[in-house]
Amino acid sequence: MDNEKLALLGGPKTIASPFRRYNPIGKEELDAAQSVIESGVLSKFIGAWNEDFYGGPKVKEFERQCEHYFGVKHAVTVNSWTSGLIAAVGAIGIEPGDEVIVSPWTMCASATAILCWNAIPVFADIEPDTFCLDPASVEANITPYTKAIMAVDIFGHSANMDALLDIADRHGLKVISDTAQAPGAFYKGKYAGTLAHVGGYSLNYHKHIHTGEGGILVTDDDEIAERLRLIRNHAEAVVAGKGVADLSNMVGYNFRLGEIECAIGIEQLKKLQGYVASRQKAAEKLSAGLQGLKGLRTPVVEPDCTHAYYVYPMVLDVDTVPRARIIEALAAEGVTGLAAGYANLHLLPMYQKKIAYGSKGFPWTSDICHRNVSYEKGICPVAEHLHESSYIGFAMCMHELTDEDVALIVKSFRKVWQNLESLV
Ligand SMILES: *Cc1c(COP(=O)(O)O)cnc(C)c1O
């Protein structure tokens, strides 16, 4: 059976039917949404300084439950994690032109949240094992203008928080955790996202748990929490009534999450650990099954950490067959959801051309920008090499995998590896 011809070359396909679509939404969420609709109160927020400034009953209930769940002093809901990142950068006291060090290996919003306050994203390289910020590269990118580090817990594994917090401590920097892809993952006994000055999670449709769109900010800092809540809800209109002394970055938005979403979020939070556990189980079976395939590295989990497997990340080191050809062969066997490469944000046109606000290069060409920050190819060699030639991601987030599915994925990989020479 294993010596059968590859499906790509006309042989039989290993996986006959597509994997089941991941769907964490069920009856509990339906009932929760229905009761909010029946109440007629779909959002209770008011953008003025009164008792509803912090939202309605479901917003408050969901936030208190998130605080309890993640073990933090404050949870603040927002209408997307992009909104959450923007609020986080504004809340930590950024000045225009300040530099924030961020990973290039992430969803674009991690870096645009920095630009939103006219601060300057500086891309540091990543670690080849965890794909998260490399502390040595972060340290090498610090200048007198650096104000913060945006640590992204990519694919479901925490960044090296001990090292990053130590750097932040020594240089007087704030740390933001973008834990959109790693809710429920642990770093040394604490939930990923909770070790930074401010962190949080996405609740968009593709994430482990979701409310359609949404996000949760977490922090132990009272002042940051209050600034997050102000930025969420038209800060400029209420700072006088509330007696806010620090007006910096109090240009507010409407980042409010509705009552229906929060009612759904309450049910979703109860299911998070179960969904994370089932992905861990599938990933462990995959890793065991893929052992011994030459030139294929399965995911690395650092000591005292757990992986939430938004993506199951692999690294390829096969000289004879190009990555694209191997993915093509796996896809032909029925392994859907494989991606060649991920992101190199510094290579996006916006950074290459340095055009963000207007057409004249603001903020980079402005006086607020202290120096000529480089986004040239070559500044992040590890991320660039992984993206160009060696990284393969399997989107665990798209599928609900049974034991049989996992066995068939393993079988497909083994079949392709046994027939690599036929792909040359
Ligand atoms: C999904 C995601 C975001 C953005 O979250 P939204 O809720 O879609 O706005 C930001 N960063 C990372 C790493 C993500 O995966």
Side-chain angles (χ1 to χ4, degrees):
M1 186 75 179
D2 277 338
N3 288 319
E4 262 177 344
K5 199 169 180 184
L6 292 176
L8 183 67
L9 304 174
K13 193 173 172 179
T14 308
I15 301 169
S17 47
F19 307 129
R20 208 167 116 193
R21 180 175 68 85
Y22 179 69
N23 177 19
I25 304 297
K27 177 85 167 66
E28 299 79 7
E29 288 76 12
L30 179 65
D31 291 346
Q34 184 171 346
S35 69
V36 171
I37 291 170
E38 283 168 358
S39 79
V41 183
L42 274 50
S43 176
K44 207 158 182 279
F45 273 109
I46 289 179
W49 185 231
N50 80 12
E51 62 178 0
D52 292 329
F53 179 74
Y54 297 115
K58 290 297 170 191
V59 168
K60 288 174 180 156
E61 186 183 337
F62 184 35
E63 290 179 348
R64 298 305 79 77
Q65 292 194 357
C66 286
E67 286 158 6
H68 182 254
Y69 189 96
F70 293 108
V72 292
K73 216 165 155 196
H74 304 279
V76 179
T77 56
V78 276
N79 57 7
S80 76
W81 180 236
T82 301
S83 303
L85 289 168
I86 294 170
V89 175
I92 60 169
I94 286 287
E95 294 287 333
D98 281 349
E99 295 177 8
V100 179
I101 297 175
V102 61
S103 169
W105 190 266
T106 178
M107 192 256 167
C108 58
S110 316
T112 43
I114 298 162
L115 277 173
C116 277
W117 298 97
N118 300 314
I120 311 292
V122 171
F123 295 100
D125 209 354
I126 59 171
E127 295 178 324
D129 288 349
T130 63
F131 311 96
C132 297
L133 272 180
D134 177 352
S137 180
V138 168
E139 189 121 39
N141 276 285
I142 289 175
T143 71
Y145 318 111
T146 309
K147 202 50 98 46
I149 300 166
M150 170 97 64
V152 186
D153 300 330
I154 207 70
F155 301 151
H157 193 292
S158 175
N160 184 344
M161 292 307 288
D162 278 352
L164 293 176
L165 288 167
D166 175 62
I167 293 169
D169 234 32
R170 282 188 280 112
H171 296 271
L173 312 176
K174 289 280 196 285
V175 179
I176 297 172
S177 274
D178 177 350
T179 311
Q181 300 185 1
F186 281 96
Y187 179 86
K188 301 193 177 174
K190 289 186 175 161
Y191 278 112
T194 65
L195 291 99
H197 296 97
V198 51
Y201 315 99
S202 169
L203 293 171
N204 92 22
Y205 174 69
H206 305 281
K207 300 304 188 332
H208 290 70
I209 58 169
H210 77 88
T211 59
E213 304 287 352
I216 312 161
L217 287 146
V218 290
T219 181
D220 284 328
D221 186 306
D222 298 344
E223 208 178 308
I224 288 176
E226 204 50 28
R227 289 173 63 80
L228 294 171
R229 297 186 190 106
L230 283 158
I231 291 167
R232 169 174 73 177
N233 194 4
H234 306 291
E236 72 281 6
V238 302
V239 289
K242 193 175 172 341
V244 176
D246 179 1
L247 295 180
S248 65
N249 296 334
M250 287 293 105
V251 181
Y253 289 86
N254 175 350
F255 286 161
R256 307 174 313 211
L257 191 61
E259 289 287 291
I260 296 175
E261 288 82 357
C262 288
I264 292 172
I266 290 165
E267 298 307 320
Q268 284 281 277
L269 191 62
K270 296 177 194 163
K271 300 181 180 179
L272 175 60
Q273 218 42 255
Y275 280 115
V276 170
S278 73
R279 285 196 197 186
Q280 287 167 340
K281 189 171 144 244
E284 278 159 23
K285 284 207 158 87
L286 263 181
S287 292
L290 299 178
Q291 282 321 299
L293 295 186
K294 197 157 176 283
L296 184 75
R297 201 197 74 199
T298 54
V300 173
V301 184
E302 294 291 333
D304 295 326
C305 291
T306 64
H307 203 306
Y309 295 105
Y310 179 71
V311 171
Y312 179 87
M314 293 165 281
V315 177
L316 196 63
D317 182 14
V318 173
D319 308 327
T320 48
V321 188
R323 175 179 60 177
R325 189 82 175 137
I326 291 176
I327 289 181
E328 202 185 351
L330 287 164
E333 297 301 332
V335 184
T336 51
L338 288 173
Y342 186 60
N344 271 205
L345 290 188
H346 58 298
L347 300 179
L348 290 178
M350 179 168 71
Y351 300 104
Q352 287 301 300
K353 296 178 193 301
K354 289 190 174 171
I355 293 177
Y357 294 102
S359 60
K360 300 188 179 64
F362 189 89
W364 297 281
T365 50
S366 148
D367 287 348
I368 61 161
C369 189
H370 300 280
R371 64 182 182 104
N372 185 14
V373 173
S374 172
Y375 299 129
E376 270 165 44
K377 199 165 164 30
I379 60 170
C380 297
V382 174
E384 289 169 22
H385 176 76
L386 284 164
H387 180 61
E388 281 160 18
S389 55
S390 61
Y391 170 79
I392 298 180
F394 174 57
M396 300 279 278
C397 55
M398 282 167 44
H399 313 300
E400 214 157 293
L401 298 174
T402 62
D403 286 353
E404 203 201 345
D405 293 333
V406 173
L408 289 173
I409 295 170
V410 168
K411 193 170 164 192
S412 303
F413 269 81
R414 302 205 83 88
K415 182 178 169 190
V416 168
W417 251 254
Q418 277 187 344
N419 289 282
L420 278 181
E421 73 284 354
S422 70
L423 290 171
V424 175

